Each structure stands twice: as C-alpha cells, then as structure tokens.
Amino acid sequence: KVNMMAELPSNVFLADEFLEYFDGFSIGSNDLTQLTLGLDRDSGLVAQYFDERNPAVMKGLEILIKAAKAKGKYVGICGQGPSDHPDLAKWLMEQGIDSVSLNPDSVIPTYMFLGTK
C-alpha cells in the first residue's frame, strides 16, 4: 500500500484526483494547518493563532476524510492537533478517520476522554 501525505491545501482541493494514484491519505495536520491559515506556527508573532480546530482547517480535514471514505480508502492523521485537543480527536473519530497518532503523554488522557463521550 502507498499512502500519500496530505499536508497542502492543494491536496484538499484535488483529493479525488490524488486518490486515483494512492491507496489513501496520511494527513499531516501541522503543515496542513500552517499552510491553510498562512502563518508560521514557530513565530512568536502569530503562533497563538495556530489551531487545528479553525473552521477552515476542519473543513479541509472533512474533505480529505470524506474523499477517502467515498473510495473505500485509508485515511489517518499525524500531528499535534489530536494530542493537544481531545475534542478534535473525538470529531475526527466521528468523521470516520481510520487512525489518529498521539504523543505518548496524551494517549491515556485522550483514550479516557474518547471512552467517556
């Protein structure tokens, strides 16, 4: 299986076309968020605006997940978002994502959060 890293807004816009060539997506939420919002997450001037829960980012995530699911293909996510925001992890699960990567220190709290909702 060959999955494509989906980290660019162009990957969102052309999701169906990319899925013609790949077996699924691994969404890179850090880069997708940074490039969708047009800001540098490492800049002290704008880093506070970096949030994977921004409606534009979530719309992109939704498009990628729906495109993969519609074609019966894999879609997972890696990046800081689900570790920092359990509500985002829950939303991703509700959208039908196949896998979510978490930082080691957030696995148990996120798992517990998801199990109680």
Side-chain angles (χ1 to χ4, degrees), residues 77-93:
I77 191 166
C78 59
Q80 198 65 33
S83 294
D84 289 346
H85 309 291
D87 57 323
L88 177 63
K90 180 180 184 291
W91 180 84
L92 289 164
M93 300 303 287

Side-chain angles (χ1 to χ4, degrees), residues 7-114:
E7 301 176 298
L8 308 171
S10 60
N11 301 146
V12 174
F13 301 139
L14 299 174
D16 290 327
E17 288 82 354
F18 282 114
L19 286 169
E20 297 296 320
Y21 301 97
F22 295 96
D23 298 308
F25 292 133
S26 180
I27 302 169
S29 67
N30 292 345
D31 287 334
L32 184 61
T33 300
Q34 177 170 281
L35 295 169
T36 299
L37 300 179
L39 55 83
D40 179 358
R41 66 181 178 262
D42 296 323
S43 168
L45 299 174
V46 295
Q48 70 269 20
Y49 302 113
F50 183 89
D51 191 335
E52 293 88 346
R53 298 167 301 170
N54 178 285
V57 177
M58 290 182 72
K59 185 65 166 180
L61 295 170
E62 178 184 16
I63 290 168
L64 290 167
I65 295 167
K66 283 184 176 180
K69 291 288 137 191
K71 294 185 182 283
K73 297 196 175 191
Y74 168 84
V75 59
I77 191 166
C78 59
Q80 198 65 33
S83 294
D84 289 346
H85 309 291
D87 57 323
L88 177 63
K90 180 180 184 291
W91 180 84
L92 289 164
M93 300 303 287
E94 290 168 352
Q95 301 307 302
I97 201 153
D98 293 310
S99 67
V100 175
S101 295
L102 296 169
N103 292 341
D105 64 334
S106 70
V107 171
I108 293 174
T110 303
Y111 180 80
M112 296 302 291
F113 176 83
L114 294 173

